[in-house]
Amino acid sequence: MDAILQSLMDLSGVTAVLVFDPGGQLLGHRGHAVYDEGLCAQVSGALAKALDAVQLQQEDWETVTAQYADGKIVLRRVLATDRTNVLAVVADGTLNVSFATVALRVAAGKLKRLLEGGASSSSAGLGSSAAAARSGPGTSQTSPADSRPTLAASGLSWSKISNVGLSRVSVADPASGAFLGRCAKELAQYVGPIAKVYVEEAVRRVVPDAPFAMAQARPLVEDLAAQIEDADDRAAFQKSLAK
Amino acid sequence: MADLASTARIPNVASAVLGDLAGGFHDAIREGDGEAVASVAAFVASSLARAGEELGLGAVRRVAIVGEQRAVVVALSGGVVVTVRVEPPGALGAVEKALDASIGRGG
C-alpha cells in the first residue's frame, strides 16, 4: 500500500494521502510531517460523515472534490469486496485536479486489487500492511471506527426525492405526523439540519411497508438515538421524546 | 450568486437549490425536494469545512460530486449555499466555469 500512496504523494501539490473505511477509521496515510496520524484520523472522521450524507443523495458517487481558499481535497471511492473504502488526497492550490483524478483512478484500482487479494478482512489486511510499514514515513493504523450507523445503504437517491421534508413519509394519522416533526426538531439539536433526513431514514427502517403510527414510536426513537454519539445527549434526546 | 433563476438557465443544469449553511431552504428550481437537498448540502459542506479547518485549508468554497449519471456542485459564498445538479456529468467543468462567473458577478 505504501507504494500506492507514495505514487499519489509524488503528484505536484499533494501534501497528504489517506485511506479510510466507511466508518471513518484511518487505514493508512502518508504525508508531510505536519499531517500526523492523529490529525489524519480526525480528518477521516469528518470526511466519512460528509460522504455518508453524499451517499444519501447520490449513491453512485465516484469522486468528490472540495475546493478551499488555500487547497483542495479529492476523494475517490474504492469498491472492495465487502465495503467501500475511500482514498483521499489533500493538496495545496497548485494541484491539477484533472490530472489528480486520473492518478486517483489508477491508485484506486490498485488499492482495490490489494484489498481484494489481501487478508480476508480489508481493514485487517491494511492494518498489517500499515504496521509493517510503520518504520517508513507516515503510514499508520488508528483506533476503531465510531459507532455511528452508516447511511450508505439508505436507498435514497437524488432522483427519488420528490416531495418536501417529512411529507415523503406516510403517516397513519395527524398525531403520528406531529410526532415525527417533534423527533426531527429534537434530533436537530444534536445532529443539525440533517435531522429530517435521518428521521425519514429511520421511519423507512422501522416501518418499511406501512404508514408510521404512534405504536412504532419507541422503536423509532431508539433508532434515532443511535445517530447521537454522546451518551448523555442520547439519553436527553430519548427523555425529551418520552414526555 | 443568489440569483437562482440565472443559475438554473446554465446549460446542463438539471436543477438548482438555494439554501444556507445552517441547512435552511430558500428556493428551488426543477427540484421537488429542495428542503432535503438544502439540508444535506449544508451538512456535507459543514463536514468538509471541519476537515478543511483541521488541515489548514481555509474556508470551503465549492464541492463537486461526480457519479456515473450526474454530478452535483455545491457552491458556497457568504453563508449562501447553491446546490446544482448537472446532467450529464461530463458537463461539470462548463457548469463550474459558468457558476464562477455568476459568483464573480453577483458575489
Side-chain angles (χ1 to χ4, degrees), chain A residues 72-91:
Chain A
K72 294 163 187 164
I73 298 177
V74 185
L75 305 166
R76 169 88 195 186
R77 160 188 252 175
V78 182
L79 285 168
T81 312
D82 59 343
R83 62 171 62 185
T84 300
N85 293 315
V86 178
L87 185 54
V89 163
V90 180

Side-chain angles (χ1 to χ4, degrees), chain A residues 62 68 158 161 163 196, chain B residues 33 35 48 62 66 85:
Chain A
E62 289 176 355
Y68 297 84
W158 193 279
I161 293 171
N163 296 314
K196 276 185 259 185
Chain B
D33 196 351
E35 194 175 343
L48 288 172
R62 189 168 64 211
V66 180
R85 182 157 46 94

Side-chain angles (χ1 to χ4, degrees), chain A residues 26-94:
Chain A
L26 184 66
L27 302 176
H29 80 280
R30 286 185 80 84
H32 295 172
V34 67
Y35 301 102
D36 61 18
E37 182 177 321
L39 174 62
C40 289
Q42 276 187 325
V43 169
S44 295
L47 294 176
K49 283 182 181 176
L51 292 174
D52 265 354
V54 165
Q55 181 83 18
L56 279 174
Q57 296 200 325
Q58 189 156 349
E59 287 176 289
D60 70 343
W61 75 272
E62 289 176 355
T63 61
V64 174
T65 305
Q67 298 207 9
Y68 297 84
D70 301 317
K72 294 163 187 164
I73 298 177
V74 185
L75 305 166
R76 169 88 195 186
R77 160 188 252 175
V78 182
L79 285 168
T81 312
D82 59 343
R83 62 171 62 185
T84 300
N85 293 315
V86 178
L87 185 54
V89 163
V90 180
D92 61 29
T94 63

Side-chain angles (χ1 to χ4, degrees), chain A residues 18-206:
Chain A
L18 326 176
V19 181
F20 55 91
D21 73 7
Q25 183 184 357
L26 184 66
L27 302 176
H29 80 280
R30 286 185 80 84
H32 295 172
V34 67
Y35 301 102
D36 61 18
E37 182 177 321
L39 174 62
C40 289
Q42 276 187 325
V43 169
S44 295
L47 294 176
K49 283 182 181 176
L51 292 174
D52 265 354
V54 165
Q55 181 83 18
L56 279 174
Q57 296 200 325
Q58 189 156 349
E59 287 176 289
D60 70 343
W61 75 272
E62 289 176 355
T63 61
V64 174
T65 305
Q67 298 207 9
Y68 297 84
D70 301 317
K72 294 163 187 164
I73 298 177
V74 185
L75 305 166
R76 169 88 195 186
R77 160 188 252 175
V78 182
L79 285 168
T81 312
D82 59 343
R83 62 171 62 185
T84 300
N85 293 315
V86 178
L87 185 54
V89 163
V90 180
D92 61 29
T94 63
L95 180 78
N96 180 326
V97 173
S98 302
F99 194 48
T101 302
V102 175
L104 265 171
R105 187 180 303 152
V106 173
K110 289 180 182 173
L111 197 55
K112 174 178 162 32
R113 284 194 291 278
L114 177 71
L115 296 172
E116 290 177 341
S120 56
S121 154
S122 58
S123 55
L126 283 167
S128 304
S129 168
R134 199 173 288 269
S135 57
T139 305
S140 61
Q141 186 182 19
T142 55
S143 59
D146 62 33
S147 58
R148 282 179 306 109
T150 181
L151 297 170
S154 67
L156 265 184
S157 75
W158 193 279
S159 59
K160 289 176 192 165
I161 293 171
S162 57
N163 296 314
V164 173
L166 291 170
S167 64
R168 287 183 297 172
V169 174
S170 60
V171 292
D173 51 54
S176 302
F179 179 74
L180 292 183
R182 262 184 70 205
C183 286
K185 189 177 172 188
E186 294 292 339
L187 185 63
Q189 294 179 41
Y190 307 104
V191 302
I194 199 140
K196 276 185 259 185
V197 178
Y198 282 2
V199 171
E200 289 170 1
E201 288 295 304
V203 170
R204 288 173 205 273
R205 281 192 295 269
V206 173

